[in-house]
Amino acid sequence: MLDFSPFDISIKQDGMALVEASLSSHEKTDYAIWDHDRICLVKRGRITLDYVAGNTELSDRDIIYLPAGVKHRWITPASHSAALFMICYDKGFFTAPPAVHELFSGFGRSFPALEKFSPDSTIRAGNIRYLFNKLMMEKRSKAPDMKVITLGLFITLATRLLRTRREIIEQKNMTSWEQSFNNSLKYLEENIQEKIGIAELARIAGLSYRRYTEIFKQQTGLTTNEYIRRKRIELARKLLQETGNILHASLDAGFGDLSHFYRVFKQVSGITPKQYIDGQAAISRD
């Protein structure tokens, strides 16, 4: 049985309610039709949302949007129990400010109803689950500002869900060369202080040397060497701020020759490393 009662929750006063529910293995709830929307997270286990037009199987960390007016029930398999966290809300309750009204009234247009949504990475799933848990903690606190905080967290969560879904779709729609190119760019930025050749980056991207340099210029507006120089100078500036040591900053940023470092730093920054250090010191004194 579900561990909360009554199942039909009133949300007229606050516009939203937070519900935790647990189902044992091999259990079916009665069919129900609710007059408010819900965003549901599977905290653990496996469960199926059964509705007139079909069903959706869900497991750990999956999320589903269930709009008002859908006749449905929850079913657990014989081998698994399940725990759900549900945010129940009346989208007509949030009429102001306009941006909040648009967020909740239009949520279903960007986040399809009754479809399983699985964040594609542990980090994304963890961030979303954190917001769900934070909402429940604030609701339980019964602090004087609880309503304001829970509404703020709910807005953050709804926005995060929409953004995450959009990012996943955009990533899936990328052509293979875009994904490969981005992988090479990530590798370059993570190893910017190392000696990395264009041929190596082209190999990571699975592209010819010529094609890679063409795409690099199209995507960044810079040649590969210009991009590397700028990124190394960005790192050098950070190191100069932290240590004030020009030689160490030069070496740690991937410049083997100090005179070359001075020349590139002046070309990119318009000032020498010493002038940069002096300028940062003056800012600190002010």
Side-chain angles (χ1 to χ4, degrees), residues 25 58 156 191 228 231:
S25 59
L58 305 164
T156 301
N191 299 276
I228 291 173
K231 286 296 180 179

Side-chain angles (χ1 to χ4, degrees), residues 196-233:
I196 301 173
I198 299 175
E200 182 180 359
L201 296 172
R203 179 186 58 77
I204 293 171
L207 299 168
S208 68
Y209 185 100
R210 180 177 178 179
R211 179 60 176 153
Y212 183 81
T213 55
E214 290 174 349
I215 291 175
F216 199 101
K217 185 65 179 290
Q218 292 170 1
Q219 296 296 307
T220 67
L222 301 169
T223 67
T224 310
N225 288 331
E226 288 171 342
Y227 186 89
I228 291 173
R229 282 197 295 269
R230 291 197 180 191
K231 286 296 180 179
R232 285 180 173 173
I233 293 302

Side-chain angles (χ1 to χ4, degrees), residues 5 61 68 88 110 148 187 233 258:
S5 181
R61 301 188 300 186
C88 313
S110 301
V148 174
Y187 175 82
I233 293 302
L258 191 58

Side-chain angles (χ1 to χ4, degrees), residues 28-241:
K28 296 179 181 179
T29 66
D30 294 333
Y31 277 108
I33 300 176
W34 287 23
D35 59 359
H36 52 265
D37 293 18
R38 278 180 288 167
I39 299 174
C40 308
L41 166 73
V42 180
K43 294 181 67 176
R44 61 169 175 78
R46 294 183 182 178
I47 194 167
T48 297
L49 177 64
D50 184 41
Y51 45 94
V52 175
N55 60 73
T56 304
E57 295 183 357
L58 305 164
S59 58
D60 291 350
R61 301 188 300 186
D62 286 342
I63 296 164
I64 194 165
Y65 166 58
L66 178 58
V70 175
K71 185 177 181 180
H72 67 281
R73 63 177 177 174
W74 297 97
I75 303 173
T76 52
S79 57
H80 288 85
S81 60
L84 296 172
F85 184 10
M86 296 184 282
I87 304 174
C88 313
Y89 67 99
D90 177 5
K91 60 188 176 185
F93 184 89
F94 304 101
T95 57
V100 174
H101 172 69
E102 175 60 25
L103 172 64
F104 292 125
S105 64
F107 185 84
R109 292 195 298 270
S110 301
F111 204 94
L114 307 176
E115 289 187 13
K116 177 175 71 175
F117 175 66
S118 303
D120 66 339
S121 71
T122 302
I123 294 176
R124 280 175 170 158
N127 289 339
I128 291 171
R129 188 163 182 164
Y130 168 80
L131 289 170
F132 271 98
N133 289 333
K134 187 67 174 174
L135 269 165
M136 184 57 71
M137 289 173 59
E138 289 296 337
K139 189 71 173 179
R140 289 171 177 164
S141 73
K142 298 181 180 180
D145 56 356
M146 178 268 295
K147 292 182 181 180
V148 174
I149 293 176
T150 52
L151 176 58
L153 287 169
F154 185 28
I155 292 171
T156 301
L157 174 62
T159 305
R160 178 71 58 82
L161 287 171
L162 293 175
R163 181 183 297 124
T164 300
R165 185 176 184 276
R166 184 182 69 245
E167 289 173 351
I168 291 173
I169 291 173
E170 289 174 350
Q171 186 174 2
K172 288 181 178 178
N173 288 339
M174 278 185 175
T175 62
S176 58
W177 72 259
E178 285 177 310
Q179 294 184 35
S180 299
F181 175 78
N182 287 342
N183 288 338
S184 74
L185 202 61
K186 181 180 179 182
Y187 175 82
L188 173 60
E189 292 179 352
E190 290 176 348
N191 299 276
I192 195 64
Q193 73 278 15
E194 305 295 335
K195 187 175 182 180
I196 301 173
I198 299 175
E200 182 180 359
L201 296 172
R203 179 186 58 77
I204 293 171
L207 299 168
S208 68
Y209 185 100
R210 180 177 178 179
R211 179 60 176 153
Y212 183 81
T213 55
E214 290 174 349
I215 291 175
F216 199 101
K217 185 65 179 290
Q218 292 170 1
Q219 296 296 307
T220 67
L222 301 169
T223 67
T224 310
N225 288 331
E226 288 171 342
Y227 186 89
I228 291 173
R229 282 197 295 269
R230 291 197 180 191
K231 286 296 180 179
R232 285 180 173 173
I233 293 302
E234 286 180 13
L235 176 58
R237 289 196 198 103
K238 180 180 178 181
L239 295 170
L240 288 173
Q241 289 179 18

